[in-house]
Structure formats: C-alpha cells, structure tokens
Amino acid sequence: QVQLVESGGGLVQAGGSLRLSCAAAGRIRVIYNMAWYRQAPGQEREWVAHITNDDTTNYADSVKGRFTISRDNAKNTVFLQMNSLKPEDTAVYYCNALAKGVDDYFQRHYWGQGTQVTVSS
C-alpha cells in the first residue's frame, strides 16, 4: 500500500549534524501527519517530532531547539534536521505516516524500516 523509506543516518561526532529523509511511495490516497520516532538499544520506541499536513510541528522536550521536522508534500517526503547531536541521540530512527492507501477504508499508521544514527562522544 504505502511504503516509507528512510535515508540519511550514519555516524557523527557529538555536536555534529545529520539530516534524515523519509519518502513515501506506493498506492497513496492521502497522507495526513508524518512523524519521527526513535528506539535506543534496550529501550522502548519514543516519539521525537511530528508535522501535520498544514505544517504544524511539535517536538519532544529532549530534542526541542536542536531538531527541525519539515515536509515536502509534492514529493511525499518528510525530513528531520538534527543539530547539536548528543550521544544520547543514538538510536534507530523510524519514519511514521498517518495515511490512507488506495485500498484503505480507514487511515492507518505506516512505518519505515528505520535508519541508524550513532553519535560518538
């Protein structure tokens, strides 16, 4: 139905920056909110940021002022600009979209496969 593909993860030193991208593809009818989550080893997945289809954004307190979420609706893509990275930001980052595929009766959440972000001290 709807596939989400993340890119842009990698290894960076503390204080550095990375930009994650997530492109939605497939039989898409409409995409509502898009979001980023992350999961560190041994921890539960946690919400990082989300953006609505009218560009309203919200952030977890742990990333506020350092991360910026944005989207390109024409390309069905969401971005996460991560600045001033800290070792505690190390995690697998997952893209999430609240969307309807062509065959969906109700909107549902779709997930990407995740991209690793590692911040060294």
Side-chain angles (χ1 to χ4, degrees), residues 67-109:
F67 291 10
T68 302
I69 188 170
S70 60
R71 65 192 286 176
D72 182 337
N73 290 327
K75 297 182 178 179
N76 290 330
T77 300
V78 64
F79 306 96
L80 186 67
Q81 178 67 42
M82 305 185 294
N83 298 328
S84 302
L85 282 161
K86 303 175 183 180
E88 51 263 44
D89 294 318
T90 295
V92 177
Y93 283 71
Y94 295 91
C95 175
N96 172 276
L98 180 64
K100 279 186 182 179
V102 170
D103 296 329
D104 288 331
Y105 189 79
F106 296 106
Q107 61 194 30
R108 52 168 286 195
H109 285 277

Side-chain angles (χ1 to χ4, degrees), residues 8 12 26 29 31 43 46 50 52 54-55 71 74 85 93 98 107 114-115 118:
V12 64
R29 186 188 303 177
I31 298 177
Q43 298 187 21
E46 65 173 358
H50 80 254
T52 65
D54 64 354
D55 289 339
R71 65 192 286 176
L85 282 161
Y93 283 71
L98 180 64
Q107 61 194 30
T115 185
T118 302

